[in-house]
Amino acid sequence: DAGITQSPRHKVTETGTPVTLRCHQTENHRYMYWYRQDPGHGLRLIHYSYGVKDTDKGEVSDGYSVSRSKTEDFLLTLESATSSQTSVYFCAISDYNEQFFGPGTRLTVL
Amino acid sequence: AQTVTQSQPEMSVQEAETVTLSCTYDTSENNYYLFWYKQPPSRQMILVIRQEAYKQQNATENRFSVNFQKAAKSFSLKISDSQLGDTAMYFCAFIHSSGSEKLVFGKGTKLTVNP
């Protein structure tokens, strides 16, 4: 299995609070991704990174920001969480086309 | 924009039988990859099989095989000798072989294998 961890695995927070999710890899892969998974929508790309300090927006980036200061870490931040951001968040890594996924983080915004 | 369509939200099959999950995609590119991912109740996303668009031969991985029809932009997954452990959500996904490395997913098919 690819070495990808996500933290926390579960989080409950209140509307308006900041939240940061962390993705950590031990594979030294160039590309890292954040997805959200919601019923009826499959997985949708939020942001991705193609190198240290190189990031770009995905399909559903509004309300999210990311940072990648090291190859192994990719952070997803919700500056002010809203109930619509209640979801399961997946991190993925890739070196060449094939993506490997982390275990997911279930985030609930009350 | 690229899209991936899975027209079967739910399917069921009896244990030991064969089932086929459908997937169509839309792209103007010629070089790309297609994938099927499995997501069991544990929520982990597991790569089942991949297909390179430039290869005419259909990919096979043990009991899993695909029927790749490039002209029709169709990429179906066949599961033979279905097992209870095959119960899961199955997602079809597409990525260009060059460019931004962004994976596009279908909305998934929930497969239930009945004993």
Side-chain angles (χ1 to χ4, degrees):
Chain A
D1 291 345
I4 314 168
T5 56
Q6 292 184 229
S7 58
R9 295 292 311 279
H10 299 87
K11 187 171 181 66
V12 180
T13 190
E14 294 188 350
T15 298
T17 60
V19 176
T20 296
L21 307 183
R22 179 180 183 240
C23 177
H24 179 80
Q25 63 151 325
T26 58
E27 305 296 320
N28 201 37
H29 282 354
R30 177 184 175 189
Y31 292 91
M32 298 186 75
Y33 308 80
W34 277 108
Y35 294 89
R36 61 177 288 173
Q37 183 178 24
D38 305 289
H41 289 279
L43 278 80
R44 293 181 291 175
L45 182 65
I46 304 171
H47 282 280
Y48 68 103
S49 169
Y50 46 94
V52 173
K53 297 185 179 179
D54 291 324
T55 65
D56 204 350
K57 295 179 179 180
E59 177 187 359
V60 289
S61 59
D62 287 348
Y64 302 95
S65 62
V66 291
S67 65
R68 190 172 179 195
S69 59
K70 298 185 290 185
T71 299
E72 57 267 34
D73 290 325
F74 192 34
L75 304 181
L76 176 71
T77 298
L78 292 65
E79 298 291 347
S80 178
T82 67
S83 58
S84 65
Q85 293 175 313
T86 292
S87 187
V88 178
Y89 292 85
F90 284 95
C91 174
I93 64 174
S94 170
D95 209 28
Y96 182 67
N97 295 316
E98 192 168 314
Q99 292 190 13
F100 301 95
F101 287 80
T105 294
R106 180 176 292 279
L107 175 67
T108 302
V109 183
L110 301 176
Chain B
Q2 293 77 39
T3 59
V4 176
T5 302
Q6 294 179 246
S7 59
Q8 305 149 316
E10 293 190 37
M11 294 189 73
S12 63
V13 64
Q14 292 300 120
E15 196 174 6
E17 293 187 347
T18 296
V19 63
T20 298
L21 280 57
S22 301
C23 173
T24 59
Y25 57 94
D26 185 25
T27 182
S28 58
E29 301 292 328
N30 196 45
N31 297 317
Y32 50 88
Y33 293 81
L34 294 159
F35 305 89
W36 278 99
Y37 282 89
K38 170 185 177 181
Q39 187 180 40
S42 66
R43 209 168 63 197
Q44 180 69 47
M45 292 288 287
I46 302 165
L47 179 65
V48 174
I49 200 165
R50 62 178 277 167
Q51 174 80 43
E52 291 90 340
Y54 64 86
K55 289 187 177 179
Q56 292 186 341
Q57 187 173 4
N58 289 324
T60 299
E61 287 288 341
N62 300 315
R63 297 183 295 107
F64 298 87
S65 61
V66 298
N67 182 6
F68 174 48
Q69 302 289 328
K70 190 172 184 179
K73 297 180 182 176
S74 171
F75 183 61
S76 60
L77 174 70
K78 185 172 82 171
I79 306 174
S80 303
D81 186 24
S82 297
Q83 301 176 359
L84 297 178
D86 295 334
T87 293
M89 284 289 291
Y90 287 83
F91 293 97
C92 179
F94 164 101
I95 193 170
H96 286 153
S97 60
S98 62
S100 62
E101 300 280 342
K102 290 191 284 187
L103 203 58
V104 178
F105 284 88
K107 294 184 178 181
T109 296
K110 183 178 181 182
L111 176 67
T112 301
V113 180
N114 298 308

